[in-house]
Amino acid sequence: MATACPECDAEITFERSPLNGEVCRCSECRVELEVTCTNPLRLEIAPEVEEDWGE
């Protein structure tokens, strides 16, 4: 299973079917990507972890 990196358009391949919310890293540009849809496979740049201020 493969798709393109939304940042640099490099091919991202998965050995098995990814799960929604799974995070991977592009081997070309090293950006962290999150699987937002599995059918069709879609990746978005993963949000940075932010501290929860108790709100």
Side-chain angles (χ1 to χ4, degrees):
M1 186 169 266
T3 190
C5 173
E7 181 74 7
C8 70
D9 210 33
E11 183 177 70
I12 308 292
T13 58
F14 294 88
E15 292 181 12
R16 59 167 179 74
S17 296
L19 302 172
N20 276 333
E22 186 172 329
V23 175
C24 63
R25 186 176 298 270
C26 176
S27 61
E28 294 294 322
C29 67
R30 308 300 300 160
V31 70
E32 283 193 335
L33 303 167
E34 179 178 3
V35 177
T36 57
C37 183
T38 56
N39 189 14
L41 181 59
R42 186 172 40 229
L43 302 174
E44 293 182 10
I45 296 173
E48 295 201 20
V49 176
E50 296 179 10
E51 187 170 345
D52 181 3
W53 294 95
E55 295 179 1

